[in-house]
Amino acid sequence: MDFVNVMKAKAKTLQKILVLPEGTEPRTIKAARILLDERLAAGVTLLGKVEDIEKTAAKEGVDLGGINLVFPGDGVKKDTYVREYYEMRKHKGMTEEQAKIDMTDPLRWGAMMVHLGDADAMVAGAENTTGDVLRAGLTIIGTSQGVKTASSCFVMAGMDAKWGASGNMVFSDCAVIPDPTAEQLADIAESSAQSCREFLNTEPVAALLSFSTKGSAKHDNVTKVQNAVEILRNKKAGFIFDGELQADAALVPSVTDSKAPGSPVKGRVNILIFPDLGAGNIGYKLVQRLAGAEAFGPFLQGFAKPISDLSRGASVDDIVITCAVTLARAK
Ligand code: ACO
């Protein structure tokens, strides 16, 4: 089974509850119907002004039967959500008045549903920017225990079977942290290892990439990657990793032998960790366009509960797939 079908099967088995904050958005409404009809979720909540959701659904010919419609900032949960938000953010100067206003924001309301267990997962980004989706997640859902940094990964699928796990690999970070520190890079590698287990169902083998292999070049950017590797070594991270490595030294066993002899990742890398967002974002798009790989994501990682961002150009099918993958990660 391919990546998408494996994730859909997992979501079907888990039967979790999803919240979609962009509830008046036509592609999102269509995706909600498909998710319920294909039994990928036990329940779906669309957030927004109920008349607007109903009007758009009628225009698009979508039956809203079985889908929960909630106007954020109102209803029986309002006081609980405002209070919780105020308590969480008062150390940052949040007032009760501002908390009431902030809780009318569908992204924050959706994140609060997930935080308090009224939904298991949230997907947004068909209308909102990545930064806005991330900020709602970071300030309300937060990172998982022991993880300081939220980041993202792509599953690159359908490549030649000699690469990664039968042609599938995890690339990270391609969407969140523009210029990670060494500590953040180490966190990105650890979260990616977890994503690799969840998405590819295989033991992670990560290469921390650079334009230098084992000290062949000297630059702050190289030192940063070397320091990240040192951090992972010192904390005895529970997966196989090596760096700093150039991409060919990481991927091609004969080049590993000449540039990084004895590297534990030789011939079996299934995770590529890029030194910054520029390299990661360009890297995944090159592999997608020039090598014809399928790029699934960005999937957010390191959060306490599952949340995903969408591209604003996402199709209905893209939204369904992202929701299924996000639901498949729910505990
Ligand atoms: N992990 C954990 N916490 C974080 C992170 C992170 N990566 N980034 C920010 N935070 C925390 C901050 O410390 C802050 O916490 P606090 O308010 O409790 O003190 C809170 O989250 C909010 O942070 P802000 O200062 O409002 O946000 P910031 O300006 O640092 O921006 C953001 C963070 C939104 C993640 C930013 O880095 C961003 O916009 N990244 C996306 C980059 C992008 O545009 N990518 C394009 C996508 S391309 C594609 O998808 C293929």
Side-chain angles (χ1 to χ4, degrees):
M1 245 200 296
D2 63 20
F3 169 68
V4 170
N5 285 320
V6 168
M7 288 295 126
K8 282 187 170 176
K10 208 168 164 190
K12 265 185 195 174
T13 308
L14 289 175
Q15 285 299 295
K16 296 291 179 179
I17 297 184
L18 177 72
V19 57
L20 297 168
E22 293 155 328
T24 56
E25 197 282 316
R27 290 163 297 165
T28 304
I29 294 175
K30 287 180 188 164
R33 181 73 267 152
I34 295 168
L35 286 156
L36 272 190
D37 289 348
E38 292 189 7
R39 298 185 198 290
L40 293 163
V44 179
T45 296
L46 289 173
L47 300 182
K49 214 168 158 188
V50 173
E51 306 94 272
D52 291 350
I53 301 173
E54 286 172 345
K55 210 189 285 173
T56 309
K59 195 168 151 215
E60 299 291 334
V62 178
D63 170 14
L64 290 173
I67 299 174
N68 298 320
L69 310 182
V70 173
F71 182 54
D74 212 358
V76 287
K77 297 282 181 179
K78 180 177 147 194
D79 291 343
T80 312
Y81 286 13
V82 169
R83 167 93 352 224
E84 177 71 7
Y85 185 63
Y86 166 70
E87 292 296 336
M88 291 170 92
R89 302 297 294 168
K90 66 181 180 195
H91 70 290
K92 290 274 164 183
M94 178 61 58
T95 61
E96 293 192 40
E97 216 38 53
Q98 189 58 43
K100 264 187 212 151
I101 297 167
D102 283 0
M103 266 302 126
T104 60
D105 168 23
L107 291 175
R108 290 195 178 96
W109 184 275
M112 189 57 83
M113 284 181 72
V114 174
H115 169 65
L116 290 179
D118 293 331
D120 299 300
M122 164 171 135
V123 175
E127 284 180 322
N128 288 281
T129 63
T130 300
D132 286 341
V133 175
L134 283 167
R135 275 192 202 91
L138 288 167
T139 52
I140 297 174
I141 297 174
T143 51
S144 56
Q145 216 176 356
V147 178
K148 283 203 193 109
T149 314
S151 58
S152 73
C153 71
F154 274 85
V155 171
M156 304 301 294
M159 297 179 289
D160 190 298
K162 72 179 176 186
W163 303 120
S166 310
N168 301 318
M169 293 182 85
V170 169
F171 283 19
S172 180
D173 172 23
C174 309
V176 175
I177 307 173
D179 188 13
T181 61
E183 289 74 18
Q184 287 176 320
L185 215 44
D187 271 358
I188 290 168
E190 288 202 281
S191 294
S192 300
Q194 178 61 22
S195 296
C196 176
R197 291 190 179 103
E198 288 176 18
F199 291 147
L200 305 186
N201 195 25
T202 189
E203 274 308 296
V205 182
L208 284 87
L209 299 181
S210 174
F211 59 85
S212 164
T213 299
K214 303 289 179 183
S216 65
K218 297 212 179 323
H219 189 275
D220 287 351
N221 210 289
V222 174
T223 310
K224 177 175 86 168
V225 181
Q226 291 168 337
N227 289 343
V229 173
E230 205 47 38
I231 291 168
L232 291 171
R233 277 204 190 108
N234 287 341
K235 59 157 67 165
K236 298 189 177 23
F239 60 97
I240 296 166
F241 59 89
D242 199 14
E244 90 291 4
L245 295 167
Q246 287 161 285
D248 55 354
L251 292 167
V252 185
S254 60
V255 184
T256 316
D257 281 341
S258 66
K259 291 187 174 183
S263 172
V265 305
K266 178 184 159 183
R268 49 186 182 148
V269 168
N270 50 31
I271 302 174
L272 295 183
I273 303 298
F274 294 89
D276 57 47
L277 194 51
N281 193 271
I282 294 165
Y284 100 79
K285 284 179 195 284
L286 289 179
V287 174
Q288 179 186 29
R289 299 294 168 180
L290 300 181
E294 287 185 281
F296 296 104
F299 300 119
L300 299 178
Q301 53 186 18
F303 280 91
K305 304 262 183 88
I307 164 175
S308 286
D309 177 43
L310 295 163
S311 157
R312 275 173 287 173
S315 65
V316 174
D317 211 32
D318 293 335
I319 299 176
V320 171
I321 289 170
T322 302
C323 291
V325 172
T326 313
L327 286 159
R329 305 188 94 180
K331 298 280 181 294

